[in-house]
Amino acid sequence: MKTLHPHDIQKLLTESNAEALDVRTPVEFEEKHIDGAKHISVDELPAQCGQLDPSKKYYLVCQSGKRAEKAHQILAEKGFGDLTILAGGVGAWEQAGLPLNRSERKVLPLMRQVQLAIGLGVLTFSLLAYFVHPAFVFGTAFFGAGLTMAGATGWCGLALLLAKMPWNKTDAPAKASCCVAN
């Protein structure tokens, strides 16, 4: 998989046949994104990639790079050939001091929400096991098993559940949140 640094991609985006494709969640995209980027979340990509032109160059963008790698795999299997990943994602773009379109709306990033939910769950079950009944220790085991599965497979059920919560939804119509034209 080919990766490029933010300044290199910024220069290349001026080419007429190049486009940034942001594969983060709609809320992440709404909060901040590269100007002119097309948005299709990685989970929607298999069903929505028909909206993309296989002859174009795409610079795949996510928060740190992992979802862009998954998007690369999906698009490569669908016959897209000219794909490059933004090394370090939007985080690296921002650290490089490059411009981002920003929304007034602020929501904790999904991974921070997952971390808070798991930490609170483990703390709660630990306290219940200590003060109420030792059987509550199985609650902490549940969270540990979930973390182990997420780490081993890259699939996190809690993240999927949290992504569906009302605070993680955009107010834009479904079509606009799925694909924003440049």
Side-chain angles (χ1 to χ4, degrees):
M1 282 182 228
K2 186 170 136 186
T3 62
L4 285 176
H5 293 284
H7 285 289
D8 298 327
I9 287 183
Q10 184 191 35
K11 290 175 193 167
L12 294 169
L13 279 172
T14 58
E15 296 177 12
S16 61
N17 198 31
E19 189 166 38
L21 177 61
D22 195 317
V23 298
R24 296 174 301 146
T25 65
V27 170
E28 289 174 308
F29 181 80
E30 181 185 340
E31 185 179 329
K32 59 184 173 186
H33 61 270
I34 297 169
D35 188 38
K38 180 180 278 291
H39 176 250
I40 303 175
S41 69
V42 72
D43 296 329
E44 303 271 332
L45 195 54
Q48 302 288 334
C49 70
Q51 298 177 22
L52 303 173
D53 179 357
S55 67
K56 271 189 165 184
K57 293 179 187 178
Y58 288 100
Y59 299 105
L60 304 173
V61 178
C62 68
Q63 190 60 36
S64 63
K66 293 296 180 193
R67 286 176 282 181
E69 289 175 9
K70 185 176 177 184
H72 185 286
Q73 182 180 18
I74 291 167
L75 292 172
E77 288 172 3
K78 300 273 186 185
F80 288 77
D82 204 347
L83 304 169
T84 303
I85 295 172
L86 170 59
V90 171
W93 185 276
E94 190 169 28
Q95 279 187 327
L98 297 173
L100 289 169
N101 290 348
R102 295 179 184 274
S103 166
E104 295 294 319
R105 184 172 181 228
K106 297 292 180 207
V107 175
L108 278 178
L110 193 56
M111 286 315 301
R112 294 240 341 252
Q113 292 179 44
V114 168
Q115 292 164 345
L116 282 168
I118 290 173
L120 186 59
V122 168
L123 177 63
T124 300
F125 279 109
S126 296
L127 291 172
L128 287 171
Y130 186 78
F131 290 112
V132 179
H133 192 277
F136 280 108
V137 76
F138 292 110
T140 60
F142 172 78
F143 283 103
L147 280 174
T148 301
M149 183 176 144
T153 66
W155 182 87
C156 180
L158 182 57
L160 293 173
L161 178 67
L162 286 170
K164 296 182 184 309
M165 292 294 116
W167 59 84
N168 285 325
K169 298 290 183 191
T170 62
D171 295 332
K175 186 172 184 176
S177 69
C178 176
C179 230
V180 176
N182 50 345

